[in-house]
Amino acid sequence: TRRWHNDFHTTRQENEIILRALRHPNAAMAVPHSSMEEAIDRNWRFALELVGLFEKVAAQHACDVQGDNASPPPSALALAEGAEKLRAELEERLPALLECKLGVQAASARGAEQDTKLVETNIAAAQKTQDAAFKFLTGNSVDLSNMVPTKFAEEMLPHPAAFGSAATCAMDDAMLPGTGGSTEDGSPEGGECWPPVLRLLTYNIFIRAPAPQFTHNTDDDRKDERLRRFAEHLRRYDLVCLQELFGAFSSRRDWLAEVAQRFGLKHQLRSSTSVRPRFLIDGGLMVLSRMPIVASSSLTFEPGAHMDRLSAKGALYAKLQCGPEGPFLHVCNTHLQSTYSEDSFEHARLVRHQQLEQLVDFLREATDDTSGGASGPQRFWPLVLCGTLNFNGRKGPMEGTHSAEYCVVTDLLRDRLGEGRGLLYDV
């Protein structure tokens, strides 16, 4: 409960500071774009946490309404309806904040004057919704002691609200196959697309290969429904790195690749399905890009442990051309060993470390921007490493400090690949 109250208080204080600055007559010149981005990010992350919180509150009180009582107390019904209304209002704020941030980044990339009024409007609106949320929680004495901040909500299926609304995309409306319309890819006719700001999505999409019921593949996990909903948002991004989109025994990956091409993500890499008899299924990795892929390679790890030994886990590497003559960006998408139980944690951690050693050696060679020479491979352009790494960055749900495995991994990457930042923590 104290954590939630502190988050509300801190966010309000920081918003008041940035709003005062944005209302200054010379704000467009005086307020750094990085400060605006940071404020937008802070409100976006907190709004997404609150979406998860109010889902839980609404569900909790909906259970009271639908219980054995023939006539539930009016208070329970009002709480459930109020929580659901606030959840919807918070979710509505997310896409506007994303688009506002993109506008700040684009203006900065062009050297244009910032639209501080738009930033002020979005942050003020976010704060107003947060105030309403706090008033609802405290006014109704909602018990927050067991409401752990969800960050990106579901463990296996990241929250759809994180994508915002596809309708806010700046590109022309595009229809999915089978819906009666045609698509536009958004690229300049006869040429490549060079976005001034890259929007990158890394996402474990959880589209596993058809199989008998086993761990995490029981009942109906709504693969087709989730894939179709996800596909509507592809046009929001310039670079998409997917994990657990398996090509074995299914045509879903091919379908998504076709849709992505229609949305302008025409440069693609995917895990090979030619992996038998050593493995049963492919590595489930895919890279979709608006920018040309000028070099690529792949890595397959040694067989993993438990169910992971059936999949050809590894990494996909791509060198992207981000302008007519550069710059370039190195990108690596990977999926490391999973931990299937507390008893197997130490063995899984050891396998992950071995996989990371393989990955680092692979990347040192793949990202060589020189012709080699006596000094060995050297990288000039930046490298983005993303994927499903399968370890916790924090010590625990309520602790913001780094976990021991996170520290080991970042030290290894820093020592072997150069100084770097954890984008989900450091930025």
Side-chain angles (χ1 to χ4, degrees):
T1 301
R2 185 164 56 248
R3 162 74 187 272
W4 281 111
H5 281 225
N6 286 343
D7 283 352
F8 275 108
H9 180 68
T10 302
T11 304
R12 166 168 269 287
Q13 277 190 324
E14 292 174 342
N15 281 346
E16 287 174 351
I17 293 170
I18 191 69
L19 285 171
R20 280 200 301 269
L22 290 170
R23 286 163 184 158
H24 191 276
N26 297 321
M29 298 291 293
V31 180
H33 70 88
S34 56
S35 297
M36 290 187 252
E37 285 186 48
E38 183 180 353
I40 296 167
D41 277 343
R42 180 173 60 249
N43 282 277
W44 183 85
R45 286 194 299 266
F46 191 42
L48 190 55
E49 286 189 356
L50 290 175
V51 168
L53 170 64
F54 275 89
E55 276 186 341
K56 290 184 177 180
V57 173
Q60 190 177 73
H61 291 286
C63 288
D64 295 339
V65 172
Q66 298 168 1
D68 296 332
N69 297 331
S71 55
S75 58
L77 183 61
L79 274 171
E81 291 176 348
E84 177 56 28
K85 180 182 177 183
L86 275 167
R87 183 209 60 77
E89 290 177 8
L90 286 159
E91 188 167 333
E92 282 182 11
R93 296 261 38 93
L94 293 170
L97 287 166
L98 283 176
E99 293 304 324
C100 184
K101 180 181 176 181
L102 179 61
V104 170
Q105 292 175 326
S108 175
R110 296 193 306 268
E113 184 175 294
Q114 294 287 352
D115 186 350
T116 53
K117 186 64 179 176
L118 179 63
V119 179
E120 178 197 342
T121 300
N122 276 277
I123 293 177
Q127 183 59 57
K128 182 178 179 181
T129 311
Q130 292 161 23
D131 287 343
F134 185 74
K135 183 178 179 180
F136 176 90
L137 295 169
T138 54
N140 292 288
S141 301
V142 176
D143 181 11
L144 298 176
S145 58
N146 294 314
M147 300 287 190
V148 177
T150 53
K151 294 299 178 187
F152 295 100
E154 306 295 336
E155 178 190 359
M156 299 304 294
L157 306 177
H159 201 288
F163 297 115
S165 169
T168 65
C169 184
M171 298 168 61
D172 292 337
D173 265 350
M175 302 295 288
L176 288 177
T179 58
S182 60
T183 62
E184 300 290 338
D185 69 5
S187 301
E189 187 175 352
E192 298 292 350
C193 181
W194 312 114
V197 177
L198 300 188
R199 306 191 81 178
L200 162 66
L201 171 70
T202 175
Y203 184 48
N204 186 318
I205 197 167
F206 197 56
I207 303 292
R208 295 188 169 179
Q213 292 190 346
F214 57 82
T215 305
H216 295 315
N217 202 35
T218 58
D219 301 322
D220 180 12
D221 57 6
R222 301 181 297 172
K223 290 184 177 72
D224 293 325
E225 178 188 342
R226 290 190 290 107
L227 193 63
R228 179 167 290 276
R229 178 167 183 175
F230 170 79
E232 294 173 0
H233 299 275
L234 280 173
R235 55 187 170 175
R236 298 181 62 86
Y237 301 98
D238 306 304
L239 175 62
V240 178
C241 295
L242 299 174
Q243 305 89 46
E244 295 204 13
L245 181 61
F246 293 96
F249 313 118
S250 172
S251 61
R252 293 186 179 97
R253 187 176 71 172
D254 293 336
W255 179 85
L256 188 67
E258 180 183 344
V259 174
Q261 279 206 326
R262 298 188 182 193
F263 286 155
L265 296 156
K266 56 187 178 183
H267 305 283
Q268 305 181 355
L269 295 177
R270 61 184 79 181
S271 296
S272 172
T273 53
S274 301
V275 296
R276 291 184 289 276
R278 195 179 189 203
F279 302 98
L280 178 63
I281 58 175
D282 56 283
L285 299 175
M286 193 171 199
V287 175
L288 307 169
S289 173
R290 292 193 192 283
M291 295 74 66
I293 298 174
V294 297
S296 64
S297 55
S298 62
L299 167 70
T300 302
F301 297 138
E302 292 299 313
H306 203 266
M307 299 301 298
D308 276 25
R309 68 173 54 253
L310 301 177
S311 172
K313 282 191 168 183
L316 289 180
Y317 160 76
K319 184 176 182 179
L320 306 183
Q321 182 179 340
C322 301
E325 298 180 2
F328 297 88
L329 178 67
H330 299 290
V331 177
C332 179
N333 182 21
T334 189
H335 191 171
L336 303 183
Q337 171 70 43
S338 301
T339 300
Y340 285 88
S341 68
E342 289 187 16
D343 294 338
S344 66
F345 172 78
E346 281 303 319
H347 181 58
R349 183 187 61 78
L350 177 61
V351 174
R352 281 193 293 271
H353 189 78
Q354 292 169 344
Q355 290 173 338
L356 279 165
E357 292 277 4
Q358 281 185 267
L359 182 63
V360 166
D361 290 339
F362 166 73
L363 286 175
R364 280 178 59 82
E365 295 295 329
T367 61
D368 182 15
D369 289 316
T370 68
S371 56
S375 58
Q378 295 184 43
R379 177 170 54 83
F380 176 73
W381 300 106
L383 164 65
V384 174
L385 172 60
C386 58
T388 300
L389 303 185
N390 274 324
F391 59 85
N392 290 321
R394 296 184 293 173
K395 283 185 177 179
M398 304 300 288
E399 291 190 65
T401 52
H402 295 318
S403 68
E405 188 168 3
Y406 179 90
C407 293
V408 169
V409 169
T410 51
D411 286 347
L412 171 66
L413 296 176
R414 187 179 297 113
D415 292 343
R416 303 283 296 279
L417 296 176
E419 197 60 42
R421 293 188 295 176
L423 294 180
L424 294 183
Y425 185 92
D426 297 328
V427 174

